[in-house]
């Protein structure tokens, strides 16, 4: 353990080990830039720097759940994000099937199981495309209101 002090004890984004060859999770970069520099436009932690709002697909800095997750400890972030997304996917799908498609409660529950909790969705639990799926469903529901 003493051979790798940065790896096992207190590794942070601003350590000198961060370079162009080190992959830093996007969520960690967004959190570091927001809380340390109050900056969401640019980060110097990779290569010669990069814009956060344009390049961080996995970090999703403009996705509302990302803002909620910034205040949770990092080990919980990915689990909570997946759980919240699945709950919201099911709730919004149920609301769409009840109010937009005018299905019965039983049909709405079946539609929610087949659409939001299908094997394809559950197979990619921590993939960024689910942010787009949830956003699209929220927009679809908002259009009918």
């Amino acid at each position: 353990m003493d051979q790798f002090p940065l790896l096992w004890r207190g590794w942070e984004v601003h350590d000198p080990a961060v370079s162009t060859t080190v992959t830093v999770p996007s969520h960690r970069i967004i959190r570091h830039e927001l809380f340390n520099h109050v900056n969401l436009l640019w980060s110097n932690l990779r290569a010669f720097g990069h814009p956060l709002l344009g390049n961080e697909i996995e970090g999703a800095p403009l996705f509302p759940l990302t803002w909620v997750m910034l205040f949770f400890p990092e080990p919980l972030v990915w689990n909570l994000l997946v759980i919240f997304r699945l709950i919201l996917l099911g709730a919004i799908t149920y609301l769409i099937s009840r109010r937009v498609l005018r299905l019965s409660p039983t049909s709405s529950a079946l539609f929610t199981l087949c659409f939001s909790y299908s094997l394809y969705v559950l197979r990619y639990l921590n993939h960024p495309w689910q942010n787009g799926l949830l956003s699209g469903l929220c927009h679809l529901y908002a259009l009918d209101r």
Side-chain angles (χ1 to χ4, degrees):
M1 277 197 174
D2 291 327
Q3 293 174 338
F4 307 105
L6 291 177
L7 184 62
W8 302 108
R9 286 184 270 151
W11 187 83
E12 290 293 329
V13 171
H14 56 277
D15 280 348
V18 175
S19 70
T20 58
T21 59
V22 177
T23 303
V24 181
S26 303
H27 182 78
R28 184 177 283 181
I29 289 176
I30 291 168
R31 188 178 180 144
H32 175 76
E33 291 296 338
L34 184 66
F35 291 142
N36 293 335
H37 302 134
V38 193
N39 178 21
L40 262 182
L41 299 177
W42 191 263
S43 176
N44 290 325
L45 294 176
R46 288 187 188 153
F48 293 111
H50 67 284
L52 287 179
L53 297 181
N55 285 343
E56 295 302 318
I57 295 171
E58 291 181 11
L62 297 178
F63 187 59
L65 276 180
T66 301
W67 290 94
V68 173
M69 293 299 137
L70 288 175
F71 301 103
F72 286 102
E74 191 175 341
L76 295 176
V77 165
W78 302 112
N79 295 331
L80 290 176
L81 185 63
V82 168
I83 290 169
F84 286 162
R85 252 194 328 225
L86 283 176
I87 291 170
L88 288 173
L89 272 172
I92 296 294
T93 304
Y94 186 81
L95 287 173
I96 287 173
S97 63
R98 285 291 288 153
R99 295 188 179 170
V100 178
L101 301 176
R102 312 254 190 260
L103 298 176
S104 68
T106 306
S107 300
S108 295
L110 186 61
F111 179 75
T112 300
L113 284 174
C114 292
F115 184 80
S116 292
Y117 302 121
S118 67
L119 182 61
Y120 186 74
V121 173
L122 295 179
R123 185 175 164 196
Y124 298 103
L125 281 177
N126 200 13
H127 201 275
W129 73 266
Q130 285 192 355
N131 295 343
L133 177 64
L134 180 58
S135 297
L137 287 174
C138 290
H139 284 60
L140 181 65
Y141 181 69
L143 282 175
D144 188 59
R145 300 302 304 164

